Each structure stands twice: as structure tokens, then as C-alpha cells.
Amino acid sequence: MRRSQESQTEYLDEEQDSSEEENDSQSQREEDRDQIYYSGSVTPEGGRHKIHCLTIIGQVEGHYILPPQNKTTKYEHVIPQLVAIEQDSSIKGLLIILNTVGGDVEAGLAIAELVSGMKTPTVSLVLGGGHSIGVPLAVSAQYSFIAPTATMTVHPVRMNGVLLGVPQTLSYFDKMQERITSFVCQNSRIPSERFKELMMESGELVMDIGTVLDGEMAVKEGLIDSLGGLNEAVEKLYELIEAQPDKEELEDLPPDAGKGPRKAKGEGKKPGPKRTRIQEEPAPEKRSPGRPRKKRVAAALLPHPMPIPLPPQDRVGGGEEPKPKRRPGRPRKEG
């Protein structure tokens, strides 16, 4: 009876564990679906390392809401995800998949700057197209891939709406274009002069200036690192993850770990013979030095100073007053 009871309890425990695992997996699938639906991203598990997949599709939406029929990527949704990925020690890498027509310049640059400043390994993959502001987003990762059939459009900054026809507007456009050019050239292998030539090409596009680059041309120009697909991008991301120390190990290290070991007191000195202290008799107490005493000298030996005559007006008391001088008159006649 006891054995049957024990086997029955074990069977019930196994059923309970399996039901809990099924509930956990079902809840995990529901969370993944919600994550994909609301943010267009997913954190798959089961590979060699846990990575996060972020998609930038459609048009990058900035400070103004686009019409509801447009496919958009909202930068206020992407920026918190990047911060969470950088702070989450369980996520080892970030895979960015791009298929965008461009969008808001400042919003795209904000996302690109965050990606380029992450310590987490990042890999980007351009599928379909990475046009306009999608170029800085593609090169912001540590390593970039592009599909052979994908294209990238390089063109100058454009703005629609009411503009003021003043020289300051042209200066603003020039400064904004310089920001994009410097960021792209710093995060890729293309020279700035060549990038400007591609932007100002007039015989490529029908109603605009610029250049359309396919996958092979983008790699040849140095804009993208290499051709590849999803498999190559994931394998490269795993390679970058395994080449750097783990996030958790970096968090466990003390703050002065990179400064080198500190030397203990006395370390590095040559050992010498021990000195023994000899007990000496206490020295007599010394009095504090005072003023030196004056030597007494006999008065007869002292030299007598010579009297200094005072002028008549400085004599005081006892002396006769000098006779007043008479006024000289006429001389007296003799006889």
C-alpha cells in the first residue's frame, strides 16, 4: 500500500511539473507575440547566446505623427528598448534588421548614435532597402550586412513644407548634411569626398539627385562591411559576443580592476639585516635658550664721548641770550 501511495504521489508531482512547464512556455509565447505586435522586436531563446532582434521598418517617425496608413517605426519606442538592452546582463547581443525608406533626420540620428555608443555587440542587416536616414542606421552597428538584392539610396537632406527663403535656411541644410556625412564616414570605410560625390550625382535618379547602391556596390564603396543574410548576421553576432568578456563578469569586477594590482606596503624592497635598538641613557634636560647676558665692563675703560656743541638756538636754560645785532647806520664823522 505504501509503495502504491508513493508511486501515485510521484506520478502526480510529474504531472504537476509538466503542467507548470506548459503554462510557462505558453505564457512566454504570449509575451513574445505581444512584444512583436507592440514594439516590432523579439528576444528569442534557445541559441548559443540570448540576443535581441530589433526591426526598423517603414518610415522613421519623428516629432510629428504620420498618417495611419503608413508603416512607421516610432523612435520613442526604440530608444527605451536600446537602453534596456544595454542594461540587461542576460541579453548578450543586438541584431538590427532594416527595411526602411528613411524618415525624420533627427530621430534617425538619435537612434543611430545610441546604437553606435553601445557596449553590447551589435550587427545590422539591410533587407529590401535602407534608404535616406537608413544609411546611418545601417552603419551604426559594429558590423553590417546587406542582402545582394537590397538597395540603399544616398541623397542630400530634403525638407517639405513652408520654408523661409533666406540664407540661414541654406546654412542650416548644410550643417545638417555635414552631421550625417561625418557620422556615416566615421562608422564605415567610405571617404567623405566619395560619399559627397554619391549624394550629388545628377544622372542616377529621375526627379532627384543622389545614387542608388545595390548590395555589391554598397560593399565595394565601403559603406557596408559584407554581403550576407540572416545566418551570416547571427553567426557574426555570436562571434562578437564570444570575443568580449561577459556583461555579468564586468559587473562583478571592482571599479579599480583595470588599474592594475596595488602593491602592499614594503613590497619590492630588498630584505636587509634586522637592526636592534640600543637602549641609551636619557640625555639631561636642556633649558630653553634665553637672551644672552650682557658683559659688565668697568666705567673707566669705556671711552668718553666728545661733547657735541649745540647751536645757539638749541641751548636750553642757564645760558646767556645772545646780544641783538644793531642795525648798521651811518658812519660817524671824525673831529
Side-chain angles (χ1 to χ4, degrees):
M1 290 292 291
R2 290 180 181 177
R3 290 182 180 179
S4 62
Q5 289 178 357
E6 290 176 358
S7 61
Q8 187 175 4
T9 53
E10 290 177 358
Y11 179 71
L12 293 174
D13 293 339
E14 290 177 358
E15 285 186 348
Q16 186 176 1
D17 294 339
S18 61
S19 62
E20 289 179 357
E21 291 178 358
E22 290 178 359
N23 293 333
D24 293 340
S25 61
Q26 185 177 359
S27 62
Q28 183 66 32
R29 286 194 297 270
E30 290 177 357
E31 290 179 2
D32 292 343
R33 283 197 297 269
D34 294 341
Q35 189 178 12
I36 295 171
Y37 179 77
Y38 289 107
S39 62
S41 62
V42 67
T43 308
E45 297 183 3
R48 295 210 309 263
H49 301 282
K50 183 179 179 181
I51 63 174
H52 184 89
C53 177
L54 175 66
T55 58
I56 298 177
I57 58 173
Q59 191 169 353
V60 179
E61 188 178 83
H63 306 296
Y64 299 98
I65 298 175
L66 295 174
Q69 66 269 15
N70 289 19
K71 287 281 186 180
T72 60
T73 297
K74 300 179 183 295
Y75 81 110
E76 67 269 20
H77 293 173
V78 176
I79 289 176
Q81 291 184 61
L82 297 176
V83 176
I85 293 166
E86 183 71 7
Q87 294 297 314
D88 193 349
S89 59
S90 63
I91 297 176
K92 308 302 181 184
L94 172 64
L95 176 63
I96 304 171
I97 297 179
L98 294 109
N99 186 9
T100 176
V101 295
D104 190 272
V105 174
E106 292 186 349
L109 276 181
I111 298 172
E113 288 284 0
L114 278 181
V115 173
S116 65
M118 293 178 68
K119 187 181 292 184
T120 305
T122 55
V123 171
S124 64
L125 174 61
V126 180
L127 298 172
H131 309 289
S132 189
I133 201 62
V135 176
L137 289 169
V139 303
S140 63
Q142 296 178 12
Y143 201 89
S144 56
F145 286 91
I146 186 170
T149 58
T151 57
M152 302 181 75
T153 304
V154 181
H155 63 79
V157 176
R158 296 172 298 183
M159 186 176 292
N160 54 8
V162 179
L163 299 177
L164 296 176
V166 293
Q168 289 83 350
T169 303
L170 300 178
S171 176
Y172 173 72
F173 277 17
D174 192 16
K175 290 179 181 178
M176 185 177 292
Q177 187 61 60
E178 189 61 32
R179 288 162 55 193
I180 297 173
T181 304
S182 62
F183 180 85
V184 171
C185 296
Q186 289 174 4
N187 291 273
S188 65
R189 294 177 287 106
I190 187 170
S192 60
E193 294 80 9
R194 180 57 181 164
F195 188 73
K196 291 178 181 178
E197 289 178 3
L198 295 175
M199 281 194 306
M200 299 302 175
E201 182 66 35
S202 58
E204 184 77 19
L205 301 177
V206 177
M207 300 181 65
D208 198 358
I209 61 174
T211 306
V212 178
L213 303 173
D214 59 8
E216 293 183 0
M217 291 179 62
V219 175
K220 184 179 179 181
E221 294 289 348
L223 199 59
I224 300 297
D225 293 321
S226 63
L227 289 171
L230 181 59
N231 182 35
E232 289 81 6
V234 173
E235 288 297 327
K236 184 63 179 181
L237 185 57
Y238 286 161
E239 181 182 340
L240 294 176
I241 293 170
E242 293 166 0
Q244 75 166 14
D246 196 355
K247 281 185 181 181
E248 296 177 353
E249 294 178 1
L250 292 174
E251 292 176 357
D252 295 338
L253 291 176
D256 56 347
K259 299 180 180 179
R262 294 184 177 179
K263 289 186 177 182
K265 291 184 177 180
E267 185 179 350
K269 295 182 179 180
K270 296 181 179 180
K274 294 183 179 180
R275 297 180 180 180
T276 57
R277 294 184 178 180
I278 302 173
Q279 294 182 358
E280 299 177 354
E281 295 181 359
E285 297 180 358
K286 293 183 180 181
R287 296 181 179 179
S288 60
R291 294 181 179 178
R293 294 181 179 180
K294 296 181 179 180
K295 295 182 180 180
R296 295 181 180 180
V297 184
L301 299 177
L302 291 174
H304 293 280
M306 294 296 293
I308 301 173
L310 296 175
Q313 60 271 18
D314 294 339
R315 293 179 181 176
V316 182
E320 296 181 357
E321 295 181 358
K323 294 180 180 182
K325 294 181 180 181
R326 292 181 179 182
R327 185 176 180 182
R330 295 179 179 179
R332 291 181 180 181
K333 296 181 179 181
E334 294 180 356

